[in-house]
């Protein structure tokens, strides 16, 4: 058995010189080396024909050499071009300053080539080539190739060969440290298998299995360490609600059946509520996944137990919409729902406040108005914040402080880093709604340059309206001023009426309008009395008009990705195919990159992640910034479901063995100490 603590310089095939370079990558011991995981994998397995090659892609082809030529366009530079063909076409391999290649290949040879495709008119050039003769076990092509995070003059090929060398040593077997019980419970592969397959996957499937294990264990160790550091998981006491069979009746009165994901989320929520644990839970579900009805049922559960519930939303329009839909469903069960928003008259407000205080209101829905000091509840049992990312921590806390330890539920489609941190620290449990109601079609997003605006208006808008559908047009965002934004909206309406849609019904909605005006516009839009609704970002979140199928966003480059995603989520809410057109007026690379992310994915989680990435590493949520051990493979966005499982397991382990003193936890404890030693000196595990 080889000791993993061995200094890399004594590992066969490394030596002091290479060791020095490896040290710069943070690799000091053999363990560091085998845990130096690839950053990504390049799939070279996908063998293509020349005719299938696409510009800019990296691909593997199997070709026959036709001819070789060299040229020297200027001093110090020579180019070798190798003409190749397969049965579908011709291509040229291009090598810069690699004169020797001309001696390694002969016309007539069959070779495998992996490289980057450049397609111009009819010529196809392939550069950065890795070339291999046809053998039974190609090394650099036809494989899933690991790509390592590298600097300091270590090449990818070099590290591949070093690690391969190490792993081929028959003496090396990486010892398991997770308890057998956990391996079996979560059907994990062994650490030895995981490490081997993460560096040199025997298949895509094997890589998946290996990654799952590593992600799971990274999260598990992180969670265990954190919870121990925090001195256990605080299980604050909350209200213990009783299960009430009327909830089933309410459920049955809904016009639809819950999706599996909604059902799971609801179960997790009621389980929390019906225990004496204080619920603090996030419902993460993409736009349109149906979070509202889950909130409704949680509130109903609270009211059935004789407590009051509160639901806070970031805009009046959304609060109003929630008010309408909750009243619709819950009033027949005798529940009293009220609305509290800034635009009520003083008299109306006083009236609502009085009733809330006297327990004559069961559910209070509103905006920030809910957290004003004047608002007093009689017995607040549950607090829900919708679109949680739009509120500050203080605002949420203020609402819950209006009761005595009420349960807390927050909802969002696009979590912000702070939320992720809370989840990681175990301060926020998660329910994930990762399923859309049946019959939804994915929204098709198309980004177009401002020059194509005319066409978008003339053809697309009309086509949808003729089909009986409705359209949103969102005006450019003006961060500084709602007034300027409103003015722009008014002007846009004028322009649209004059130049494009004199025959259609165009409505206007902006933040400077009176609440009653906003209301009546939203109602007309819902009732199909308006074909095109021109709006500022006041419709960003929550608004639900399933007949609207086209969203056009002007100057899309001014919006954040999460914001665009929210806006886009206003369409695609019914069974009709929906579209989102992003009109942009910037030629910058960042703009293009952002637009293409929007075109490529409809996944709010992925968009949050990309948004943070583009904004730069400073803002990217990394554990290292928080003084925690680094997550090498695990990614809180991508792997939230695994995090959830690992978190539950960590709680379970510590529940039974709060200082990890049982024999079965001995090795994992060592791993935790090992990982946390740099970050949390004061951790006490003894
Ligand atoms: P979001 O998660 O974005 O808040 P909503 O709660 O507004 O989504 O729901 C979007 C739409 O989906 C609403 O019209 C709602 O009535 C509908 N809906 C929710 N759940 C279901 C379901 N299980 N089956 C069919 N439609 C549903
Ligand atoms: Mg919503």
């Amino acid at each position: 058995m080889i000791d993993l603590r061995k200094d890399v310089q004594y590992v066969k095939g490394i030596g002091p010189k290479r060791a020095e370079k490896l040290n710069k990558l943070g690799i000091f011991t053999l363990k560091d080396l085998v845990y130096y995981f690839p950053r990504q994998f390049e799939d070279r397995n996908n063998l293509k024909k020349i005719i299938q090659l696409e510009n800019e892609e990296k691909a593997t082809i199997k070709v026959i050499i036709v001819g070789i030529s060299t040229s020297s366009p200027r001093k110090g530079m020579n180019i070798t071009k190798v003409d190749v063909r397969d049965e579908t076409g011709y291509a040229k391999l291009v090598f810069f300053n690699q004169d020797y290649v001309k001696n390694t290949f002969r016309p007539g040879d069959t070779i495998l080539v992996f490289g980057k495709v450049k397609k111009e008119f009819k010529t196809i050039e392939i550069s950065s080539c890795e070339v291999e003769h046809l053998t039974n076990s190609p090394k650099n092509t036809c494989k899933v190739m690991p790509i390592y995070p590298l600097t300091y003059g270590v090449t990818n090929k070099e590290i591949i060969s070093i690690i391969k060398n190490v792993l081929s040593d028959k003496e090396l077997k990486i010892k398991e440290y997770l308890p057998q019980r956990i391996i079996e419970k979560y059907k994990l592969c062994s650490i030895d298998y995981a490490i081997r397959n993460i560096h040199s996957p025997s298949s895509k499937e094997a890589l998946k299995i290996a990654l799952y294990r590593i992600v799971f264990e990274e999260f598990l160790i992180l969670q265990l360490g954190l919870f121990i550091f925090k001195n256990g998981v605080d299980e604050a006491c909350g209200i213990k609600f009783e299960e009430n069979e009327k909830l089933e009746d309410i459920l049955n009165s809904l016009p639809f059946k819950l999706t599996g994901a909604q059902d799971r989320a609801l179960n997790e929520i009621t389980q929390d509520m019906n225990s004496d644990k204080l619920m603090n839970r996030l419902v993460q579900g993409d736009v349109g996944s149906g979070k509202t009805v889950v909130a409704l049922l949680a509130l109903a559960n609270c009211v059935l137990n004789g407590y009051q519930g509160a639901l806070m939303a970031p805009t009046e329009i959304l609060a109003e919409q929630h008010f309408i839909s909750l009243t619709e469903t819950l009033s027949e069960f005798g529940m009293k729902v009220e609305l509290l928003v800034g635009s009520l008259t003083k008299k109306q407000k006083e009236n609502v406040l009085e009733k809330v205080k006297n327990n004559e209101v069961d559910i209070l829905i509103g905006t920030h108005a809910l957290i004003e000091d004047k608002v007093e509840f009689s017995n607040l049992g549950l607090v829900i914040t919708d679109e949680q990312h739009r509120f500050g921590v203080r605002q949420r806390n203020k609402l819950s402080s209006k009761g005595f330890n009420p349960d807390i539920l927050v909802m969002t489609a696009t979590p912000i880093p702070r939320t992720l941190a809370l989840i990681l620290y175990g301060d926020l449990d998660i329910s994930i709604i990762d399923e859309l109601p049946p019959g939804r079609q994915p929204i098709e997003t198309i980004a177009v340059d401002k020059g194509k605006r005319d066409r978008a208006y003339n053809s697309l808008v009309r086509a949808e309206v003729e089909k009986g559908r409705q359209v949103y047009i969102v005006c450019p965002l003006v961060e500084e001023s709602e007034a300027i934004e409103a003015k722009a909206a008014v002007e846009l309406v004028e322009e649209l009426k004059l130049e494009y849609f004199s025959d259609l019904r165009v409505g206007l909605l902006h933040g400077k309008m009176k609440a009653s005006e906003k209301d009546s516009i939203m109602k007309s839009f819902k009732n199909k009395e308006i074909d095109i609704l021109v709006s500022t970002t006041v419709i960003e979140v929550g608004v639900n008009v399933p007949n609207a199928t086209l969203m056009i966003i002007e100057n899309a480059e001014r919006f954040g990705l999460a914001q665009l995603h929210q806006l886009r989520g206003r369409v695609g809410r019914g069974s009709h195919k929906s579209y989102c057109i992003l009109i942009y007026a910037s030629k910058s690379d960042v703009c293009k990159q952002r637009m293409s992310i929007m075109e490529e994915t409809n996944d709010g989680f992925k968009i949050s992640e990309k948004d943070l990435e583009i904004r730069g590493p400073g803002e990217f949520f990394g554990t290292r910034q928080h003084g925690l051990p680094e997550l090498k493979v695990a990614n809180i966005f991508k792997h939230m479901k695994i995090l959830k499982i690992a978190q539950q397991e960590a709680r379970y382990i510590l529940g039974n063995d709060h200082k990890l003193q049982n024999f079965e936890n001995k090795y994992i404890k060592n791993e935790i100490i090992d990982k946390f030693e740099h970050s949390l000196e004061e951790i006490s595990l003894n």
Side-chain angles (χ1 to χ4, degrees), residues 256-259 262 287-292 437 440 544 573:
F256 46 71
K257 214 172 141 270
L258 292 191
T259 61
Q262 283 172 321
V287 279
S289 62
K291 296 183 288 292
T292 313
R440 294 279 172 80
N544 188 33
R573 303 193 139 236

Side-chain angles (χ1 to χ4, degrees), residues 115-128:
K116 189 162 178 208
V117 178
K118 199 167 146 220
K119 221 172 156 177
E120 245 168 30
F121 303 107
K122 287 212 163 128
T123 66
I124 297 177
E125 289 195 342
I126 301 175
S127 57
S128 311

